[in-house]
Amino acid sequence: MNQNDLKKSLSKLPLGDIRFFESIGSTNDEALARAAAETPDLSLIVADEQTAGRGRLDRKWFTPRGTALACSLILRPTAVEKPFLTRTVGLAALAVAESLRKRGLAAQIKWPNDVLIAGRKVCGILTESVWSGEDVDCVVVGIGVNVQKDSVPPSDSLYFPATSLEEELGAAPERLEILRDILEVFIDLRPQLVTDELIARWASLLAFQGELIQVESGNVPAIVGHLTGLDTDGSLQLRNEHGESITVRFGDVRLRPLA
Ligand code: BT5
């Protein structure tokens, strides 16, 4: 991968600036720094390696050189989009899941920000906002996809099992093709950010629908219930053992182990 191949591969898409780095700390950090300048909507940062890739809550995201897709997209939301920005993570997860499904992979979304294949994590998404006073100026959408087998971290370092596209397809696809497919679907779906169609599509690909799950967030006891769907802002909805409906805005979802 290099700057020329990247630009050539993405030339038909209506993107802003495109920057390639052989090695970088985190593409999200670079995008956040650029977002503060006059960088146009749909500008893209791509790296062949991340040395300080981040997940939520400053967890580490591994991107060994030459094995994975690590990119960040800078969105400058319109006034119409601004009330719907909590849905951005769903838009990105849908773009990844739907583009992988076109390759015959049964990709699902583990709320809020992971894409799974056969119950294992193949992609993580990190959305971060740049505020200007009370207003969101920019949203950075960071996407990490495990493409080659070597991108998958050792299982003892993981909270949730992981996989790669190479493992699932039998051969590693071209990273540039994966990136182009994801961006194409993202751009196609973006008008739905402001419609409930997005929520319906997102819900239709949710992993663990109807199943008994637990949601962990911080030190409070896990919330347990059957996964029933999504709220219009993208929050997760559960039904607990008393039949009450619970709305969850942040956390890590997993199937409830049998007692
Ligand atoms: C995420 O956080 O899954 C968001 C990951 C976002 C990564 C992209 S890459 C481009 C951009 N630049 C960045 O710096 N970040 C974004 P979370 O749900 O908190 O999951 C983090 C957890 O995933 C870690 O604590 C590990 O257990 C696990 N993990 C780390 N690297 C992984 C990998 N390559 N594949 C699968 N799981 C991984």
Side-chain angles (χ1 to χ4, degrees), residues 157-174:
S157 67
L158 295 176
Y159 169 81
F160 196 85
T163 189
S164 65
L165 295 180
E166 182 176 8
E167 273 173 75
E168 302 303 325
L169 289 166
E174 279 295 322

Side-chain angles (χ1 to χ4, degrees), residues 26-27 50 54-56 59-62 113 121 146:
S26 152
T27 56
Q50 290 188 118
R54 296 187 286 110
R56 293 173 302 155
R59 295 167 181 157
K60 286 190 167 47
W61 181 262
F62 296 95
N113 66 320
K121 179 164 170 170
N146 297 334

